[in-house]
């Protein structure tokens, strides 16, 4: 019996030792995986670094590109477009004297807005405004011109049908529309422009090179909607117009939404390549198309390079691809995918949903980044609902929040550097003796409006770059629906009935 007991004890001891060894090996393996995952995260953080010196280099590079773009065509990454027919936004505040009902259509990303604005003339301002937001089905973003513009025209007609009492055009008058089209366009008149290329995930070949106002007009005619497009603008020009309508100190407009762009007011004499008539105001509107800005000083990573290669427009819109809402969530997904594949971050099996491009959108990223619950339950629910990852530890969730912070911080700080580039170009980055020159940047776009950690970081970086004395004279103001309201104001400024009223 004693020998049996001893043997049993030996067997039990051996089993316990073997189990303990398995536990130790499992812990070592988990520890090794975690260390590898954290190494991937730390390397990414280092490559995304935006120290103040690098940001100053980016701002300087932006200013240099602006000078070059104003001097001659080509040779620059950003596209400097001089918009002589939008001089209304600087020579006089559009809409200050106009009155009546005007519409705006704001198309610039995965959603579009239809807006109705009632203007009250010189003293009335914007009396009333109404809007509706419509999501564009993904298949229409890569379909045909007829399908996309037909969908938009139908939504516009449905919105017109909801006009309430007192919100109708005067008898005998055609409804007029300001069309905000936020893609690169070669504008040929106040109400016409040919699409240069698509961005932000759109790719409809039969629109490229065509007049987008003509495409919209044909779609409206097909469904019997009697409406005239009296102004074509992009969202930055619309925001600039709307901003200056409310505040004459507005010098520039920046869009941070699905995509990104900037526009500003320049001295006409500072534009060597302009050979047309100089406006009476001595100022002109410059549309920068700064999403295409690139520089060796931009902190690009392997994930950015892979995203660019696999995008619909490889080699283009590099700045946009690291700071705008279309791409921030996708960058987070790509880093998580590498952590899953090379460090088994989510376990031995890589979650299949994590392999789907753009499944993790920037609003999801923002929700996780802003999660302040003690157990980060929002992070857990987003991972479960979107990526079908049911179980994550608090430690993993904290790492994901940190990843969101790295991506958002880089984008916000680079956005600030771009704005400083504009301020430098205009010579407003210094305070002259005894001169208090107020400069206002009008901001619009869902990324800036809804991602508060992004916008807060951008504004604090702006102050860090400019210094306390200069930043006291620089203000950033959110322009809600600025691009749509601006488009309606410009439609009013170029109404076919304006001359009749003035006579």
């Amino acid at each position: 019996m004693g020998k049996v007991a001893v043997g049993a004890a030996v067997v039990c001891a051996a089993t316990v030792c073997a189990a303990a060894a398995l536990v130790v090996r499992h812990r070592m393996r988990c520890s090794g995986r975690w260390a590898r995952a954290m190494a991937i995260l730390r390397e990414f953080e280092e490559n995304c670094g935006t120290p103040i010196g690098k940001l100053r280099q980016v701002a300087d590079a932006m200013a240099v590109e602006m000078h070059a773009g104003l001097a001659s065509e080509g040779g620059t990454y950003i596209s400097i477009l001089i918009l002589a027919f939008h001089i209304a936004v600087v020579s006089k505040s559009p809409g200050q004297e106009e009155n009546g009902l005007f519409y705006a259509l704001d198309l610039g990303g995965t959603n579009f807005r239809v807006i109705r604005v009632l203007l009250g003339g010189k003293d009335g301002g914007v009396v009333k405004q109404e809007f509706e937001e419509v999501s564009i089905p993904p298949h229409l973003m890569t379909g045909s011109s007829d399908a996309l513009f037909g969908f938009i025209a139908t939504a516009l007609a449905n919105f017109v049908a909801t006009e309430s009492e007192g919100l109708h055009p005067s008898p005998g008058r055609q409804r007029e529309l300001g069309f905000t089209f936020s893609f690169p366009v070669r504008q040929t008149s106040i109400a016409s422009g040919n699409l240069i290329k698509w961005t932000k995930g759109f790719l409809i070949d039969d629109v490229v090179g065509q007049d987008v106002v003509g495409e919209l007009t044909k779609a409206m005619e097909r469904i019997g909607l009697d409406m005239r497009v009296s102004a074509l603008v992009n969202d930055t020009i619309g925001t600039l117009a709307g901003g200056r309508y409310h505040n004459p100190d507005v010098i520039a407009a920046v869009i941070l939404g699905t995509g990104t762009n900037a526009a500003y007011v320049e001295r006409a004499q500072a534009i060597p390549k302009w050979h047309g008539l100089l406006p009476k105001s001595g100022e002109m509107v410059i549309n920068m198309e700064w999403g295409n800005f690139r520089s060796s000083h931009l902190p690009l990573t392997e994930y950015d390079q892979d995203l660019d290669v696999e995008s619909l427009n490889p080699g283009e819109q590099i700045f946009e691809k690291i700071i705008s809402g279309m791409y921030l969530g996708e960058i987070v997904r790509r880093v998580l995918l590498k952590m899953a594949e090379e460090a088994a971050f989510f376990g031995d099996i890589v979650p299949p949903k994590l392999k789907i491009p753009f499944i993790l959108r920037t609003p999801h990223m923002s929700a996780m980044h802003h999660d302040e619950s003690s157990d980060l339950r929002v992070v857990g629910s987003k991972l479960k609902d979107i990526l079908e990852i049911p179980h994550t530890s608090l430690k993993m969730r904290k790492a994901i929040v940190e990843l969101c912070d790295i991506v958002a911080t880089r984008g916000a700080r680079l956005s600030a550097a771009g704005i400083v580039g504009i301020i430098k170009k205009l010579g407003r980055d210094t305070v002259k003796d005894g001169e208090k020159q107020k400069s206002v940047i009008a901001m619009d776009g869902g990324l800036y409006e809804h991602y508060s950690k992004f916008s807060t970081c951008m504004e604090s970086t702006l102050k860090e770059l400019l210094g306390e004395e200069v930043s006291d004279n620089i203000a950033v103001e959110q322009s809600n629906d600025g691009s749509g309201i601006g488009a309606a104001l410009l439609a009013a400024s170029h109404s076919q009935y304006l001359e009749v009223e003035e006579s």
Side-chain angles (χ1 to χ4, degrees):
M1 286 293 292
K3 289 181 179 180
V4 173
V6 170
V10 169
V11 170
C12 287
T15 302
V16 170
C17 287
L22 284 172
V23 170
V24 169
R25 279 200 296 272
H26 176 72
R27 286 178 177 173
M28 288 180 65
R29 187 173 65 169
C30 288
S31 176
R33 287 175 171 180
W34 182 258
R36 173 60 185 143
M38 290 304 97
I40 292 171
L41 187 60
R42 294 283 82 82
E43 180 185 22
F44 178 65
E45 180 180 33
E46 183 179 348
N47 292 337
C48 283
T50 50
I52 199 70
K54 181 179 284 290
L55 292 178
R56 293 193 196 285
Q57 290 174 321
V58 171
D60 289 343
M62 181 69 80
V64 168
E65 284 279 293
M66 292 170 71
H67 278 285
L70 293 173
S72 61
E73 295 292 347
T76 61
Y77 291 114
I78 59 176
S79 222
I80 296 291
L81 302 177
I82 305 165
L83 303 178
F85 18 79
H86 290 319
I87 203 60
V89 301
V90 291
S91 61
K92 71 183 183 74
S93 296
Q96 293 284 13
E97 298 173 0
E98 296 79 2
N99 64 79
L101 182 69
F102 295 91
Y103 278 82
L105 166 64
D106 191 349
L107 172 63
T110 51
N111 300 321
F112 66 87
R113 287 184 178 184
V114 284
I115 302 158
R116 185 163 39 229
V117 178
L118 182 62
L119 298 176
K122 187 171 183 179
D123 300 318
V126 177
V127 176
K128 188 173 184 179
Q129 64 184 75
E130 299 173 340
F131 77 92
E132 189 173 297
E133 189 161 317
V134 183
S135 294
I136 300 175
H139 71 276
L140 293 182
M141 296 170 64
T142 54
S144 67
S145 175
D146 285 352
L148 175 64
F149 285 101
F151 178 80
I152 293 169
T154 299
L156 186 56
N158 292 338
F159 184 63
V160 168
T162 65
E163 285 180 354
S164 58
E165 192 67 33
L167 276 179
H168 298 293
S170 301
R173 288 201 171 189
Q174 187 181 28
R175 290 179 179 86
E176 295 184 287
L177 173 81
F179 184 15
T180 301
F181 185 77
S182 305
F183 300 90
V185 162
R186 184 73 59 193
Q187 196 147 357
T188 52
S189 74
I190 182 59
S192 62
N194 300 331
L195 176 66
I196 297 172
K197 62 181 178 181
W198 287 107
T199 57
K200 295 176 271 194
F202 283 76
L203 189 62
I204 305 172
D205 290 336
D206 61 348
V207 186
V208 177
Q210 300 301 310
D211 176 15
V212 294
V213 171
E215 296 298 300
L216 176 62
T217 300
K218 285 187 291 184
M220 291 191 294
E221 289 173 349
R222 282 197 298 270
I223 63 171
L225 177 60
D226 184 22
M227 184 175 283
R228 172 182 177 265
V229 179
S230 55
L232 173 68
V233 299
N234 71 15
D235 50 2
T236 41
I237 301 300
T239 300
L240 189 59
R244 287 177 75 89
Y245 176 76
H246 295 293
N247 187 345
D249 290 330
V250 169
I251 61 165
V254 174
I255 302 296
L256 285 167
T258 303
T260 184
N261 193 14
Y264 72 103
V265 180
E266 179 64 273
R267 292 177 299 109
Q269 291 181 335
I271 311 174
K273 74 177 182 182
W274 178 253
H275 302 298
L277 294 174
L278 294 178
K280 293 178 181 179
S281 67
E283 296 176 310
M284 301 197 77
V285 180
I286 304 296
N287 170 32
M288 291 175 61
E289 292 296 342
W290 84 351
N292 207 39
F293 169 70
R294 67 164 65 188
S295 164
S296 60
H297 301 300
L298 292 177
L300 300 176
T301 69
E302 62 183 275
Y303 310 97
D304 303 306
Q305 292 161 354
D306 290 344
L307 185 156
D308 176 50
V309 169
E310 297 167 22
S311 70
L312 295 172
N313 53 346
E316 299 177 352
Q317 303 297 113
I318 300 301
F319 196 47
E320 181 170 85
K321 287 171 182 172
I322 56 176
I323 73 169
S324 77
M326 178 81 184
Y327 302 99
L328 298 186
E330 171 64 4
I331 296 167
V332 170
R333 183 198 68 84
R334 287 173 178 268
V335 179
L336 286 177
L337 180 60
K338 182 169 183 177
M339 291 167 69
E341 290 177 338
E342 297 189 10
F345 186 68
F346 296 109
D348 292 330
I349 299 174
V350 177
K353 291 278 188 179
L354 190 58
K355 297 179 181 180
I356 301 174
F358 293 96
I359 191 171
L360 188 67
R361 298 171 56 243
T362 300
H364 305 144
M365 167 191 169
S366 174
M368 293 191 293
H369 194 181
H370 289 96
D371 187 1
E372 295 182 350
S373 61
S374 59
D375 59 351
L376 296 177
R377 67 177 69 96
V378 174
V379 178
S381 67
K382 291 296 178 187
L383 294 172
K384 182 179 179 181
D385 296 343
I386 300 160
L387 300 176
E388 297 182 356
I389 302 170
H391 305 296
T392 49
S393 66
L394 181 59
K395 184 167 71 170
M396 293 168 67
R397 295 177 187 182
K398 286 181 177 178
I400 291 169
V401 172
E402 184 179 359
L403 171 58
C404 293
D405 187 68
I406 292 167
V407 174
T409 297
R410 179 185 66 165
R413 287 174 68 80
L414 288 173
S415 301
I419 293 172
V420 170
I422 297 174
I423 293 171
K424 285 176 69 71
K425 168 64 184 71
L426 294 175
R428 299 190 178 217
D429 58 326
T430 58
V431 176
K432 299 176 178 66
D433 292 339
E435 186 177 324
K436 287 284 185 181
Q437 191 176 27
K438 191 73 173 177
S439 302
V440 176
I441 311 295
M443 302 290 303
D444 199 9
L447 179 64
Y448 179 82
E449 181 180 356
H450 301 300
Y451 201 147
S452 61
K453 285 185 181 291
F454 184 101
S455 53
T456 300
C457 178
M458 190 206 78
E459 290 171 19
S460 64
T461 303
L462 205 54
K463 292 179 180 178
E464 184 183 358
L465 284 165
L466 293 170
E468 188 173 341
E469 189 178 16
V470 175
S471 61
D472 283 345
N473 296 324
I474 306 292
V476 175
E477 293 184 358
Q478 186 172 329
S479 178
N480 287 323
D481 286 329
S483 57
I485 297 298
L489 292 170
L490 284 166
S493 294
H494 295 88
S495 169
Q496 61 186 319
Y497 304 109
L498 198 58
E499 290 184 6
V500 175
E501 290 179 346
E502 288 176 349
S503 62

